Amino acid sequence: MDFKNKMLRDGALQDKVIVVTGGGSGLGKAMTHYFLELGAKVAITSRDLDKLKNTARELEQSTGGTCLPVSCDVRHYEQVEEMLNQVIDTFGKVDVLLNNAAGNFISPTERLSANAFDTIIDIVLKGTKNCTLAFGKHWIDSKQPQATVLNIVTTYAWTGSAYVVPSATAKAGVLAMTRSLAVEWAKYGIRTNAIAPGPFPTKGAWERLLPGDLAAQFDLSKKVPLQRVGDHQELANLAAYLVSDFSAYINGEVIVIDGGEWLKGAGQFNLLEAIPEALWDQLEAAIKAKKNK
């Protein structure tokens, strides 16, 4: 089976209404495309309404689904409430919130201004909080029996990472929020999960993170035990499963999809893979000789 194949059966998300923040491009667009193919109605949000309209038109033409573009800056709670109301006015309800909007750049932390640091915190952590709180309050007040929040985090939400400190700080907060609300809001029928993707190249994000010829110098596929980066359909498959009713007993989980990259970086002796076979032969012979003394 090809890992680029679609996973769920046709109609798996029929009658679902899904909101995808940051849905105008990249991974948000890829996930939205698959949700539409599976029968969901999807609202995509970002600050750039013209871009959203073009994306929505393209997605509707390619899938035959219904995609609603809604301008929203997730950093501002009142805009999130307006976006939520617009989705409800259009579709009558909302079942799923996918917090995908993010921002990031690489920089030594001492080179960052306070404003630059705040920008990432506001989009990633405050934006996720704003959307989750607004949607959660609506679901609880309206006594909706089932709802799902799916957050996109990253593996360095656990470990931290140099040179992306604002992002690591914000994603760690989202990770804690995911697990906390999974317990607190389960009694309302709200499931809260997250995905921690590894390298999934997107034009916009990767050009910001690895500008110029840095992408060629830092081949991220070499950091992955499977020796490749992720395909967008793989992430879309996982996201679709986690927002579908097939995952109804999964709550508070954070699923890593990175080909083993995180584990490779975490293992103390993983760098030994650079040792050539001939040297391993010498080391083995030396160990046996020592045992025989």
Side-chain angles (χ1 to χ4, degrees):
M1 171 154 318
D2 188 343
F3 61 81
K4 296 182 181 180
N5 285 344
K6 298 171 176 60
M7 182 175 76
L8 295 184
R9 69 190 187 198
D10 291 344
L13 297 180
Q14 197 71 39
D15 298 325
K16 295 280 189 188
V17 175
I18 302 173
V19 172
V20 179
T21 69
S25 61
L27 297 178
K29 180 180 177 181
M31 290 184 283
T32 297
H33 187 277
Y34 191 39
F35 296 161
L36 291 168
E37 288 185 314
L38 293 172
K41 296 180 177 66
V42 184
I44 54 175
T45 79
S46 74
R47 289 174 290 172
D48 189 340
L49 183 57
D50 289 337
K51 183 177 182 179
L52 287 173
K53 287 180 177 178
N54 290 334
T55 297
R57 189 179 308 112
E58 176 191 338
L59 292 174
E60 287 185 338
Q61 289 174 351
S62 62
T63 66
T66 302
C67 186
L68 174 70
V70 185
S71 177
C72 177
D73 186 338
V74 296
R75 296 175 295 181
H76 302 292
Y77 189 78
E78 66 277 5
Q79 290 193 33
V80 171
E81 288 186 309
E82 290 173 5
M83 175 266 288
L84 172 59
N85 289 333
Q86 187 172 340
V87 174
I88 294 172
D89 288 344
T90 302
F91 295 129
K93 64 167 185 171
V94 60
D95 301 291
V96 176
L97 167 65
L98 172 48
N99 284 308
N100 172 70
N104 198 6
F105 43 77
I106 56 172
S107 174
T109 306
E110 69 273 14
R111 290 175 175 261
L112 294 174
S113 67
N115 184 62
F117 206 117
D118 287 346
T119 296
I120 304 304
I121 296 292
D122 286 350
I123 295 172
V124 178
L125 181 55
K126 185 177 177 182
T128 300
K129 176 272 294 182
N130 284 342
C131 292
T132 303
L133 191 60
F135 280 60
K137 284 176 177 288
H138 164 71
W139 287 326
I140 293 168
D141 290 344
S142 63
K143 294 181 170 54
Q144 184 162 319
Q146 291 182 331
T148 302
V149 177
L150 180 60
N151 297 321
I152 304 297
V153 294
T154 179
T155 53
Y156 57 70
W158 285 279
T159 62
S161 178
Y163 304 105
V164 286
V165 172
S167 174
T169 303
K171 292 292 190 181
V174 175
L175 176 65
M177 191 189 327
T178 300
R179 288 174 166 161
S180 301
L181 289 178
V183 175
E184 184 177 343
W185 283 359
K187 62 180 175 285
Y188 300 117
I190 301 172
R191 294 189 300 118
T192 310
N193 293 298
I195 298 174
F200 281 83
T202 60
K203 180 176 174 56
W206 282 48
E207 285 181 352
R208 289 192 300 271
L209 288 172
L210 298 172
D213 62 350
L214 284 178
Q217 295 181 43
F218 295 95
D219 184 354
L220 294 183
S221 66
K222 293 179 179 177
K223 296 174 56 185
V224 180
L226 292 180
Q227 293 293 295
R228 67 173 178 86
V229 295
D231 183 84
H232 288 194
Q233 185 62 46
E234 293 179 282
L235 181 63
N237 282 339
L238 178 57
Y241 169 68
L242 289 174
V243 303
S244 76
D245 294 338
F246 294 112
S247 63
Y249 201 51
I250 296 179
N251 185 40
E253 190 57 64
V254 184
I255 299 177
V256 175
I257 177 168
D258 72 345
E261 180 199 29
W262 179 32
L263 296 176
K264 180 177 180 180
Q268 186 173 11
F269 293 99
N270 287 343
L271 292 176
L272 294 181
E273 70 174 2
I275 293 178
E277 287 296 322
L279 183 52
W280 280 118
D281 293 339
Q282 295 176 30
L283 291 172
E284 185 177 346
I287 292 171
K288 287 181 178 178
K290 186 174 182 180
K291 284 183 177 180
N292 293 331
K293 285 184 178 179

